[in-house]
Amino acid sequence: MSIKVEFKQMLGDTHFDVDLSLPGNGISALFGRSGAGKTTLINVISGLVTPHYGKVTVGDHVLFDSEKGTNLPTHQRKIGYVFQESRLFPHYSVQGNLLYGVTEKDDSYFDKVTELLAIKPLLKRFPISLSGGEKQRVAIARALLSKPNLLLMDEPLASLDMPRKREVMPFLEELSEQVNIPIIYVTHSLQEILRLAQHLAILDSGRIMTSGKLEEVWASHAMRPWQSFSDHSSLFEGKIAHHHDKYALTCVKLAANVCLWVQKIDGEAEQPIRLQVRANDVSIALEKPVSTSIRNVLPATVASIEEFNAGDDKQSITVSLKLADECHLWATITPWALDDLNLNVGDSVYAQVKGVSVTQRDMALAHH
Ligand SMILES: Nc1ncnc2c1ncn2[C@@H]1O[C@H](COP(=O)(O)OP(=O)(O)OP(=O)(O)O)[C@@H](O)[C@H]1O
């Protein structure tokens, strides 16, 4: 099953021309600058905005089809919505808020959802006595309790301070693993995307610039405006291969013969894991370095060499290193190093990786 959104509409100065297909599982992030049209897009899905022309389907459930004259009202679309602010009813208890709009009582599902979001102890309290993070957890539970086919989240963490974001984030991670409902997640935060999403669509001036698996979109040119000189990075979807107990390290397999050592992570062999490697943490050597403290030294082929200008005083070269088929690593080097090494596309080199961070573990990938 997949989610398809197609529409054309002029709103203010923005000419929307959207044609987007998203997977029917896991978290798809919708990203773009302010005014790009993210909220409008999810409002078209939920039925809050009706375009002149378009079609919206969730699996084989048609929500809107201008040609056939189909336009399901919002409440019949089976969509859960979580906004920036929790929008709870102040005069209802948490329990009252949760049960509002629930037509079929299902105690075991209620139990599961309140357990998942750890809000059982809050059921008798009123919204005024809850912290921002608690309110947002209640809002997420309320959206889930309507048993939607699709969950729309419009910057659900944006109104929270950093400690509260950290509090709610694990619940969102858990959610995508435990509840088999696709989520479309609007955000301005690359950190949230790295932790939560499996799919990424970038929107600009009412159009989809690119949409695909997070790792692929992350490596694409569409991401460049958001990746500054210092935080350009590669993302990998790897699998735990084995652990090195003596040195407390874990070997993560990126491709058949490509493995990176990271600080030990708990997990079974074959468990999926997402790794991020900053281009600044990768250096290039023409010969295999010996007697080096760096553990990760990988044979590679130079796939592309690009100049990256980040202002007059910051010039660098971005080199794409092919580690295996469909497995590339970015390295940032200086123009001086480029001349010195006399690097050319196709050259065989060694990539030395100084740091690897784990951004996500066994998330939602289980649904694939
Ligand atoms: N009903 C409307 N009437 C006129 N213009 C509209 C309407 N709805 C949206 N727009 C315009 O469409 C553009 C996209 O707005 P939208 O709120 O969807 O962007 P966004 O990406 O969600 O922005 P932000 O990240 O700031 O929330 C904006 O230029 C906005 O002014």
Side-chain angles (χ1 to χ4, degrees):
M1 107 119 169
S2 67
I3 298 153
K4 292 208 165 71
V5 188
E6 203 191 327
F7 70 95
K8 290 190 170 77
Q9 174 85 349
M10 192 74 198
L11 279 173
D13 294 334
T14 308
H15 177 232
F16 284 85
D17 188 351
V18 168
D19 188 355
L20 178 64
S21 184
L22 299 173
N25 53 27
I27 300 185
S28 296
L30 211 52
F31 183 70
R33 63 189 87 241
S34 190
K38 304 177 296 292
T39 302
T40 304
L41 197 157
I42 57 170
N43 283 344
V44 166
I45 300 174
S46 68
L48 293 175
V49 167
T50 305
H52 291 310
Y53 164 84
K55 189 169 179 182
V56 180
T57 53
V58 177
D60 44 22
H61 196 51
V62 181
L63 309 184
F64 177 73
D65 186 344
S66 57
E67 276 177 6
K68 296 220 167 84
T70 310
N71 186 11
L72 288 189
T74 299
H75 65 276
Q76 283 177 15
R77 293 195 176 199
K78 290 186 106 9
I79 284 176
Y81 215 136
V82 180
F83 303 91
Q84 231 180 77
E85 339 73 54
S86 53
R87 302 193 187 182
L88 302 177
F89 299 117
H91 54 293
Y92 285 149
S93 65
V94 167
Q95 176 140 354
N97 269 282
L98 291 177
L99 292 175
Y100 187 89
V102 172
T103 42
E104 280 168 43
K105 223 165 159 275
D106 181 343
D107 289 339
S108 78
Y109 186 59
F110 184 88
D111 258 13
K112 181 180 170 185
V113 169
T114 49
E115 180 89 27
L116 178 66
L117 288 144
I119 52 174
K120 278 197 168 150
L122 311 178
L123 291 176
K124 298 265 173 307
R125 302 217 336 233
F126 282 79
I128 194 159
S129 73
L130 303 178
S131 72
E134 288 167 341
K135 277 189 210 160
Q136 227 26 357
R137 278 150 54 198
V138 174
I140 296 167
R142 181 173 63 176
L144 288 175
L145 284 167
S146 64
K147 293 196 178 165
N149 291 335
L150 170 66
L151 195 55
L152 302 176
M153 298 187 136
D154 194 353
E155 301 198 50
L157 302 182
S159 67
L160 304 178
D161 57 21
M162 202 34 100
R164 298 283 164 263
K165 280 195 205 328
R166 288 212 189 96
E167 170 203 317
V168 179
M169 191 84 93
F171 292 101
L172 292 174
E173 288 181 326
E174 193 64 8
L175 188 72
S176 94
E177 209 178 346
Q178 299 287 330
V179 183
N180 207 359
I181 299 171
I183 298 173
I184 300 181
Y185 189 99
V186 172
T187 182
H188 279 112
S189 156
L190 292 176
Q191 280 316 312
E192 286 171 33
I193 291 175
L194 281 177
R195 286 266 306 259
L196 300 171
Q198 292 86 47
H199 190 100
L200 174 61
I202 301 181
L203 200 62
D204 190 36
S205 307
R207 282 159 202 262
I208 302 293
M209 302 298 289
T210 181
S211 167
K213 269 186 70 177
L214 176 63
E215 287 79 5
E216 286 161 20
V217 175
W218 194 265
S220 74
H221 280 262
M223 279 308 289
R224 289 295 169 82
W226 284 282
Q227 289 168 327
S228 68
F229 177 75
S230 57
D231 64 15
H232 191 189
S233 64
S234 315
L235 277 190
F236 297 100
E237 195 183 299
K239 281 190 175 151
I240 292 181
H242 50 266
H243 303 290
H244 195 310
D245 289 332
K246 181 168 174 206
Y247 296 117
L249 294 171
T250 296
C251 171
V252 179
K253 193 166 69 180
L254 307 186
N257 290 314
V258 185
C259 171
L260 276 179
W261 288 103
V262 301
Q263 292 294 333
K264 186 160 193 253
I265 33 188
D266 294 327
E268 304 280 312
E270 291 301 302
Q271 183 182 311
I273 195 150
R274 178 179 294 154
L275 300 179
Q276 183 182 24
V277 179
R278 295 191 182 282
N280 273 344
D281 284 340
V282 181
S283 58
I284 299 174
L286 294 180
E287 275 138 40
K288 187 169 187 178
V290 284
S291 316
T292 166
S293 64
I294 295 172
R295 298 297 84 188
N296 286 314
V297 177
L298 307 167
T301 311
V302 176
S304 71
I305 301 173
E306 294 169 42
E307 265 187 46
F308 193 91
N309 280 311
D312 292 344
D313 54 339
K314 280 185 179 167
Q315 221 197 11
S316 72
I317 307 292
T318 311
V319 182
S320 170
L321 299 170
K322 183 177 170 187
L323 304 175
D325 282 343
E326 292 177 32
C327 183
H328 288 76
L329 177 69
W330 291 112
T332 301
I333 60 172
T334 60
W336 185 10
L338 178 70
D339 290 343
D340 224 23
L341 298 179
N342 188 22
L343 279 188
N344 289 295
V345 170
D347 286 354
S348 294
V349 296
Y350 288 89
Q352 303 189 96
V353 182
K354 274 172 276 179
V356 182
S357 48
V358 173
T359 66
Q360 192 195 44
R361 224 178 299 170
D362 90 318
M363 291 248 337
L365 298 169
H367 298 315
H368 289 241

